[in-house]
């Protein structure tokens, strides 16, 4: 993401513009992800998130500073986890799995909508010959929104505690195995820190490349499908 941009030959003004655009695109992605968790939990009988003030679309209620910077500059990150009390659910395993999937699914939907808006903006700019910094910034906001939402969704589906994918896996495992599996969460942060460090070490950088390859390819191909195969084909024919 922006980490490579900082070390590129792009002029300083353009770097600032792209950083600003990324922040504008990132805030809704993180906010919608956590709001979705809280909203689905609330609908399934758990009012913990609402009582904690997390059933909100205000980014300040959800943003984790470190997780946000990681998402911007490294390509994966997180927000403050929404509190959930599974004992308030009628069917704890099923309902917790639904709550966990709500965040990534919402990001996929947001990415799809952003892709349509990006395609619409791009087609309008080409058709009517709009060529300005404002038009470019709007396009980039939608483009980064697609990438960040997809990256957030795919990253959270990794089956490593405490990510959403691991919660779904734990809901499928027997209680004893789920308890053992959940203990991995104590090492998860060190695993990701280690991968970030390895990315800056020649030869060893192949390890994080292999680990994050599915996410990066997933973001690329899904973005292409959403934008080119759906968005451009729809608006290219209409306008």
């Amino acid at each position: 993401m922006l980490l490579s941009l900082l070390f590129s030959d792009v002029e300083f003004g353009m770097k600032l513009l792209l950083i600003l655009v990324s922040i504008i695109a990132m805030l809704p992605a993180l906010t919608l992800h956590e709001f979705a968790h809280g909203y689905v939990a609330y609908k399934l009988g758990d009012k913990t998130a609402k009582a904690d003030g997390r059933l909100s679309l205000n980014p300040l209620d959800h943003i984790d500073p470190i997780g946000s910077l990681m998402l911007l500059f490294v390509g994966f990150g997180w927000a403050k986890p929404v509190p959930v009390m599974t004992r308030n659910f009628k069917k704890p395993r099923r309902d917790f799995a639904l709550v966990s999937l709500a965040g990534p699914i919402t990001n996929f939907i947001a990415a799809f909508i952003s892709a349509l808006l990006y395609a619409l903006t791009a087609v309008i700019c080409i058709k009517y010959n709009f060529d300005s910094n404002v038009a470019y910034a709007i396009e980039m906001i939608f483009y980064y929104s697609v990438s960040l939402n997809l990256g957030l969704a795919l990253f959270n589906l990794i089956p490593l505690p405490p990510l959403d994918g691991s919660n779904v896996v734990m809901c499928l495992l027997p209680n004893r195995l789920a308890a053992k599996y959940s203990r991995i969460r104590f090492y998860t942060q060190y695993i990701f820190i280690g991968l970030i460090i390895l990315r800056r070490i020649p030869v060893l950088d192949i390890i994080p490349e292999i680990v994050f390859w599915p996410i990066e390819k997933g973001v690329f191909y899904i973005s292409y499908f959403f934008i080119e195969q759906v968005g451009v084909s729809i608006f290219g024919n209409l306008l």
Side-chain angles (χ1 to χ4, degrees), residues 112-134:
F112 181 71
I113 294 172
S114 297
L116 294 181
L117 292 173
Y118 172 77
L120 175 62
T121 305
V123 169
I124 289 175
C125 288
I126 293 172
K127 184 175 179 63
Y128 297 101
N129 198 28
F130 291 151
D131 185 16
S132 67
N133 290 335
V134 174

Side-chain angles (χ1 to χ4, degrees), residues 64-165:
D64 178 276
I66 296 177
S68 301
L69 290 173
M70 292 284 287
L71 181 61
L72 277 175
F73 292 99
V74 182
F76 63 86
W78 56 87
K80 292 187 294 186
V82 166
V84 176
M85 302 295 289
T86 56
R87 65 171 177 265
N88 294 324
F89 296 139
K90 292 180 179 179
K91 296 183 178 180
R93 282 176 171 268
R94 183 205 66 180
D95 293 349
F96 188 47
L98 292 174
V99 169
S100 299
L101 288 172
I105 290 173
T106 300
N107 286 129
F108 278 122
I109 295 171
F112 181 71
I113 294 172
S114 297
L116 294 181
L117 292 173
Y118 172 77
L120 175 62
T121 305
V123 169
I124 289 175
C125 288
I126 293 172
K127 184 175 179 63
Y128 297 101
N129 198 28
F130 291 151
D131 185 16
S132 67
N133 290 335
V134 174
Y136 177 75
I138 293 173
E139 283 187 51
M140 287 298 97
I141 288 173
F142 292 138
Y143 181 79
Y144 275 108
S145 180
V146 176
S147 299
L148 289 170
N149 273 287
L150 288 177
L152 192 61
L154 294 174
F155 173 71
N156 274 279
L157 289 175
I158 295 175
L160 273 178
L163 300 177
D164 297 326

